[in-house]
């Protein structure tokens, strides 16, 4: 029953056209993510000449949901079915850089969560998303060397939810993703560089040309 209800609430991805606005950070709950129209492009909130970006959002559902969602929860106590996630990527804009923002609603109030960009797409097995995306790749896997597994070489998006269960974080790096090697944002049960994988959102981290 839960799977069927949540499946009906899944929100399709929306893509930002090239030349979009800045990816805002902010404190938990400082902005409520907007609603999406399936398959539509999203109006840019401000000028961002020469750049590109994507904005995608969805409702979490369990892997067993009748209709698949790009956002999967593996622990419905910490990430309830129906909780919402939005991810915005910005890149280019005249220099080599990338900005990734995450916003969530409907999680456990007043709790710290870890979050990172991962290499693979989400699947029924939490391990499907692979390891953290790394700008300089650790030759040893799984990567535990702090020379590679750190917020400067990876994209860390940890946050603490507010009293309503909303949270937000932004990470900015002086490098860009290699094409096709960053495919998801994984939520972890603890802040920092590790922790159990409790949810996953498949994200198309690619430059998207305008129509």
């Amino acid at each position: 029953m839960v799977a069927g209800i949540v499946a009906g609430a899944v929100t399709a991805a929306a893509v930002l056209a090239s030349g979009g606005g800045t990816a805002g950070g902010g404190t938990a709950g400082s902005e409520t993510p907007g609603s999406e129209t399936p398959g539509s492009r999203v109006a840019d909130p401000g000028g961002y000449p020469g750049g590109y970006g994507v904005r995608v959002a969805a409702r979490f559902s369990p892997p067993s949901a009748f209709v698949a969602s790009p956002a999967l929860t593996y622990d419905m106590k910490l990430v309830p079915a129906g909780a919402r996630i939005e991810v915005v990527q910005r890149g280019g804009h005249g220099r080599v850089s990338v900005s990734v923002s995450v916003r969530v609603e409907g999680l456990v109030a007043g709790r710290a969560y870890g979050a990172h960009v991962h290499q693979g797409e989400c699947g029924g097995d939490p391990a499907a998303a692979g390891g953290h995306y790394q700008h300089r790749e650790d030759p040893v896997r799984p990567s535990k060397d702090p020379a590679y597994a750190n917020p400067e070489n990876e994209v860390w998006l940890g946050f603490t939810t507010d009293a309503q269960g909303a949270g937000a974080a932004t990470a900015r790096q002086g490098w860009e993703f290699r094409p096709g090697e960053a495919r998801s944002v994984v939520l972890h049960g603890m802040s920092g560089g590790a922790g159990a994988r409790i949810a996953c959102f498949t994200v198309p981290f690619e430059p998207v040309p305008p129509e």
Side-chain angles (χ1 to χ4, degrees):
M1 176 63 74
V2 172
I5 293 173
V6 174
V10 172
T11 310
V15 182
L16 267 176
S18 177
T22 57
T27 57
S30 62
E31 179 181 335
T32 301
S35 60
E36 301 80 33
T37 301
S40 71
R41 291 188 177 273
V42 180
D44 298 331
Y48 210 33
Y52 61 84
V54 295
R55 174 181 291 158
V56 288
R59 302 278 179 178
F60 285 103
S61 67
S64 59
F66 180 72
V67 177
S69 170
L72 301 176
T73 174
Y74 308 117
D75 186 334
M76 287 194 283
K77 291 183 178 179
L78 298 180
V79 182
R84 186 179 184 280
I85 184 169
E86 178 184 76
V87 172
V88 178
Q89 173 203 8
R90 301 289 188 185
H93 59 278
R95 62 183 184 274
V96 177
S97 65
V98 67
S99 169
V100 179
S101 297
V102 63
R103 296 183 185 277
V104 295
E105 294 176 336
L107 303 190
V108 177
R111 193 185 192 284
Y113 289 80
H116 310 91
V117 172
H118 277 242
Q119 296 173 313
E121 295 184 354
C122 308
D125 183 347
H132 295 180
Y133 177 90
Q134 295 183 328
H135 177 57
R136 292 185 305 109
E137 294 186 277
D138 188 343
V140 177
R141 295 289 177 170
S143 179
K144 298 181 179 179
D145 186 344
Y148 295 93
N150 63 68
E152 288 72 40
N153 193 47
E154 301 178 343
V155 180
W156 292 25
L157 295 160
F159 56 86
T160 298
T161 55
D162 64 14
Q164 286 71 50
T170 296
R172 297 179 176 87
Q173 301 290 8
W175 39 263
E176 294 179 299
F177 293 131
R178 293 180 295 276
E181 295 187 33
R183 298 186 179 93
S184 62
V185 170
V186 172
L187 302 189
H188 297 264
M190 58 184 291
S191 60
R197 301 181 185 197
I198 58 174
C200 183
F201 181 29
T202 296
V203 179
F205 287 115
E206 295 288 349
V208 179
E211 291 181 344

